Amino acid sequence: MLIRNVSLLLGRELDYVNTACVRISNKYIETIGKKIQSKKDEQIIDCEGLLMMPGLINAHTHIGDSIAKDINIDEDVESKIHPVTGFKQKILKSSGVSHLTSFIQSSCLSMIRKGITTFIDFREGGVKGVNILQKASFGIPIRPVILGRIDFYQDFKSIKTNSPIPESKKLDLKNLLNNCDGIGISGPNEFSDSALRHFSKQRKICAIHSAETEESNATSSKVTGKSETERALLAKPDFLVHMTHASKKDLQLVSKNKSSIVVCPRANGALAEGIPDVNLMLETGCNVAIGTDNVMINSPDMFKEMDYLWKVSMGMKKKRLAPKSILKMSTVNGSDLLGGKVGIIQINNIADFIFIEKHAIDLEPMHNPYASLVHRISENTIRAVMFKGEIIHGKI
Ligand SMILES: [Zn+2]
């Protein structure tokens, strides 16, 4: 397939190219150039008026709780989503698989319409939970990256005495990891140092919630004398989720350990728990990606997430933040969590794209494409979405 006359955001720097040709072969980007000669019998698509951007990476979701949208909205964060006592867990456990499946599928379809081609999900419920998401998303043109967890949490006494993970649970973890892409740890406050170090030894993706609330940070200091993030890093995570209340020292440690951060500002806002300081994260050299978190408390919409993050950061800091840096968080920076083959328009990468109508009434005239894409695009300005070289939503 040869795409002609398209504007695009090229490479890791999202360089704006006004007119380009892109050849897609076998799901991958084969060539990008100003002019490319078509091959005999090649499908040619003229994309005059369209801007091609990478398919978005939603770097943190809990899609399994799509069934519980806006339940008990005024409750505090712990009673909502605590991994052991939260009512979210009760809803997940008491809901039928077919019900859970149908709402997971709705959220997958919703994300596709919003240009999300990859999402990284924290899936509760062990292998069974992982299987529910695998089966629900099978045949839907979206890429779920599934980070499972075992049904095992430690109390403060076990943390203080540094109890190890029992052998039977280590086996459960091994079995879990044979069935999914990695581990999504609920947080350091549920595990001893020994357990966190055990998590660090597995070879798949490792991610952990950290410093989501002031309270969770305070609990960590009280129980262990260390910050939540200091302890989260014992698991050697590829990325930490939230970091809403991370100190500068925490962020420096994350940067030094070459871990990344995934922020979920709208979820933090919805839970009335504060806003992550992305300026400070960038200043300390952290790689920052964006996620939309629980579907229970937030819509899986990266456009809204970018718009919110951009403005709330500038409003709170009274300092400009480049819209391109926000756009990178939804594409390039998320790509770095997954090996770099998605989320960046470059040769040999997978052909996942969004085609935006440059002349849409909400966008024209597009004087600054980065700003327009961060705060003016929506489902309505998308002409089509491509996944692995095939148009799976809309038409071009
Ligand atoms: Zn989460």
Side-chain angles (χ1 to χ4, degrees), residues 60-62 122 209 212 241-242 264 293-294:
H60 186 60
T61 60
H62 297 258
F122 269 33
H209 291 124
E212 180 175 4
V241 180
H242 293 303
C264 309
D293 207 6
N294 303 71

